Amino acid sequence: MRDHFEIRDHDAAGRIGRLEVPRAGVTVETPALLPVVNPNVLTVEPSRLRGEFGAEMLITNSYIIRSTDRIRDRVLEQGLHEFLGFDGAIMTDSGSFQLAEYGDIDVTTEEIIEFQRRIGSDVATPVDVPTPPDADRERAERELETTERALADAAAAETGEMLVNAPVQGSTFPDLRTEAGRHAANTDLDVFPVGAMVPLLNAYRYADVVEAVRAAKRGLAPDAPVHLFGAGHPMMLALAVAAGCDLFDSAAYALMARDGRYLTVSGTEHLEEMEYFPCSCPVCAEHTPAELRETEGDGETDAERLLAEHNLHVTFEELRRVKAAIRSGNLLELVDRRARGHPAMLDGYRALLDRADELERTDPVSKDAFFYTSHESARRPEVRRHHERLARLAVPDRLLLTESNAPSTHDYDAVWRVKPPFGPFPRALSETYPLTAEVPERVDVAAQVAAAEGVASLAAANPETELTLGHDGWPETALDAVPDRVETEDLRTLGR
């Protein structure tokens, strides 16, 4: 049991939590974004990150600090918080990114953990090996062993109140990610980053990101705070949270601004091509794209800095939107909307729904509303849960299931409603979640197929019951899912 992390709300695998960071004396609400602060290039002053943007935590690189003489001595003398001018929690990276990029670094886990402790880091990181995507299995296994030794060294270090990360590696092998998660969970370490994600994120391989996160989560304990290393584009935050991530860090706000790129919740725009800003943050409210372009190199109003500020505003705004969605129970509907912004996002959403059985374990059984907004909605965990719970219901000998109203006269023992995508249920449950769902009048085939699968679940649980299904013109793809022993009637053709 990790008593420094408390989960307050759930929706799908997303959660609102409280991460206690004892060395900083603060409690960070999750999901949380940690802006990356390069100690050599302060695009946005860290002192502004908390008050103006809402950052409760940031991340910087202890390896860069240690390797830069003019910075190292000042940080050792002043302490990391005073040096950066930030009074929230500070996480430090270890040089693993440099190891992945350049192939070698001159520091061990023991040395870098001790250095992070000395400079006043609140959450430290060992020197793990970020095995890139699509590496061969032999390499992934070999480097995972090295990472596990680094975790052991970190667990043995004297850290006091400083929390320590336990990165979960394994490349694109789900079983290795699960094994790594299980190994990390069995240590005494505190926060669990899913590592080597930047290449996947940069390539928009969101389905692979979801698979890696879900695989790691299968090995980790339910109360483990999960950090998605290198993720900070607002477009994918809802998806990543729904997959089970609690912490995010990214230099995207600054790196994108350096290239003249403007972040939105549906993608990335190029400042030079924009005529209007679709945003009302302070930067966009006070400047037009043309005006912002004219500030290039203009000191205090430099376009790069202003773009970075916008990128931070839109990212933190999306994170607040995600938290509100968790609290309201409509996180998957937000993910559905974001998935329409890019085909790769839709791939990621579909990969997430492939794990609906895992999402169902933490998804609340009751929420305010269920909105059917796309055929992906038919695969949500609420639909799966309804089908599984049909076996609990008392069923009479002869039962009519119908999408229409109950007939005025009939010789059935009972008449149940059928509502795509859920399928059959007693009319007494009509006002219970999720059967109060808002569904379009023009129901799509996916919803009808899911409803037919519900009929099949009911039939399988009650083999002696005589079932009749009255459907509203279902296609053969849906009717094929209905067992042969269920009599079917097309309500559209009755009385002709």
Side-chain angles (χ1 to χ4, degrees):
M1 181 69 180
R2 288 177 165 81
D3 56 9
H4 62 284
F5 186 57
E6 177 187 3
I7 299 169
R8 294 294 188 91
D9 285 284
H10 258 118
D11 194 19
R15 59 259 189 112
I16 294 176
R18 291 168 55 86
L19 177 66
E20 292 186 14
V21 187
R23 196 176 194 192
V26 301
T27 298
V28 176
E29 184 179 77
T30 65
L33 175 74
L34 286 59
V36 173
V37 173
N38 184 331
N40 285 310
V41 184
L42 300 180
T43 306
V44 178
E45 290 292 333
S47 59
R48 299 176 56 205
L49 290 174
R50 191 166 191 177
E52 295 184 35
F53 300 93
E56 297 181 292
M57 193 171 185
L58 58 77
I59 183 169
T60 191
N61 193 304
S62 67
Y63 182 75
I64 291 177
I65 294 172
R66 183 178 181 271
S67 304
T68 309
D69 293 345
R70 62 182 177 80
I71 296 178
R72 182 187 62 245
D73 295 341
R74 286 181 58 197
V75 176
L76 283 169
E77 180 182 351
Q78 298 177 0
L80 190 58
H81 288 78
E82 183 176 343
F83 172 76
L84 292 178
F86 185 75
D87 60 358
I90 300 177
M91 179 184 290
T92 45
D93 201 358
S94 62
S96 295
F97 179 78
Q98 283 72 22
L99 177 64
E101 289 290 303
Y102 308 117
D104 192 26
I105 57 174
D106 60 350
V107 68
T108 66
T109 285
E110 297 95 328
E111 292 167 341
I112 201 65
I113 290 288
E114 171 61 16
F115 181 74
Q116 290 171 90
R117 186 192 66 79
R118 288 178 62 200
I119 64 176
S121 173
D122 302 309
V123 186
T125 307
V127 183
D128 59 307
V129 183
T131 308
D134 310 314
D136 65 77
R137 188 176 181 91
E138 182 181 353
R139 175 184 175 183
E141 290 176 336
R142 182 178 65 253
E143 294 183 348
L144 187 54
E145 289 178 0
T146 303
T147 291
E148 290 177 351
R149 288 196 295 272
L151 299 193
D153 292 341
E158 180 59 48
T159 56
E161 288 190 319
M162 183 173 67
L163 301 181
V164 180
N165 285 321
V168 178
Q169 300 292 350
S171 186
T172 36
F173 296 97
D175 62 318
L176 294 185
R177 288 280 184 181
T178 300
E179 177 188 322
R182 189 173 296 115
H183 181 274
N186 287 329
T187 70
D188 292 328
L189 303 181
D190 308 289
V191 180
F192 302 88
V194 181
M197 291 288 99
V198 171
L200 294 176
L201 293 163
N202 288 345
Y204 283 52
R205 292 172 59 179
Y206 294 132
D208 291 328
V209 171
V210 168
E211 286 295 336
V213 170
R214 292 309 309 164
K217 295 276 289 187
R218 286 193 287 276
L220 293 168
D223 62 347
V226 176
H227 182 163
L228 187 59
F229 261 149
H233 196 300
M235 177 173 69
M236 54 77 61
L237 288 177
L239 175 66
V241 170
C245 299
D246 306 293
L247 300 170
F248 306 89
D249 75 272
S250 181
Y253 75 96
L255 296 177
M256 297 283 191
R258 194 170 303 159
D259 292 337
R261 288 184 284 176
Y262 175 100
L263 299 185
T264 77
V265 295
S266 56
T268 306
E269 305 288 344
H270 292 273
L271 177 62
E272 63 184 20
E273 299 172 358
M274 299 181 73
E275 293 187 44
Y276 304 97
F277 285 142
C279 173
S280 57
C281 78
V283 173
C284 298
E286 296 174 9
H287 303 83
T288 67
E291 290 170 345
L292 201 59
R293 287 191 290 269
E294 292 171 0
T295 66
E296 189 66 42
D298 188 20
E300 291 299 316
T301 58
D302 178 76
E304 179 182 328
R305 177 180 60 79
L306 291 171
L307 263 184
E309 291 178 11
H310 157 78
N311 291 342
L312 280 171
H313 279 300
V314 73
T315 306
F316 277 104
E317 178 187 34
E318 178 69 357
L319 206 54
R320 291 190 293 271
R321 189 177 290 114
V322 168
K323 291 178 183 179
I326 294 172
R327 189 63 58 83
S328 300
N330 57 18
L331 177 59
L332 289 181
E333 286 149 25
L334 176 59
V335 176
D336 195 308
R337 293 197 297 274
R338 295 294 176 256
R340 308 301 142 182
H342 195 285
M345 280 294 300
L346 187 55
D347 282 337
Y349 182 34
R350 289 172 175 170
L352 180 65
L353 293 174
D354 286 343
R355 301 293 176 181
D357 58 330
E358 297 175 0
L359 304 185
E360 195 274 331
R361 295 169 196 162
T362 53
D363 194 59
V365 297
S366 182
K367 306 178 190 179
D368 288 341
F370 179 111
F371 285 84
Y372 190 97
T373 53
S374 72
H375 70 263
E376 282 80 21
S377 300
R379 302 175 57 206
R380 282 176 49 171
E382 295 96 329
V383 177
R384 180 186 181 90
R385 181 187 297 127
H386 177 71
H387 291 175
E388 291 175 347
R389 293 189 172 190
L390 286 170
R392 303 181 185 182
L393 301 177
V395 177
D397 294 335
R398 298 186 71 248
L399 178 61
L400 172 64
L401 313 172
T402 178
E403 285 191 272
S404 182
N405 295 325
S408 55
T409 60
H410 61 81
D411 58 358
Y412 296 99
D413 296 323
V415 180
W416 285 14
R417 286 192 63 191
V418 173
K419 182 173 185 175
F422 302 100
F425 57 90
R427 292 175 182 267
L429 298 180
S430 296
E431 298 304 315
T432 62
Y433 184 87
L435 304 173
T436 52
E438 294 289 339
V439 179
E441 290 185 12
R442 299 181 180 184
V443 178
D444 61 26
V445 173
Q448 293 167 330
V449 170
E453 291 169 350
V455 173
S457 296
L458 183 68
N462 300 276
E464 304 302 321
T465 299
E466 182 181 325
L467 295 170
T468 300
L469 169 65
H471 63 87
D472 192 13
W474 288 3
E476 288 300 318
T477 49
L479 294 175
D480 285 345
V482 177
D484 291 339
R485 73 175 189 84
V486 177
E487 183 180 346
T488 61
E489 295 179 355
D490 188 341
L491 299 176
R492 295 185 180 183
T493 63
L494 287 181
R496 290 185 183 177

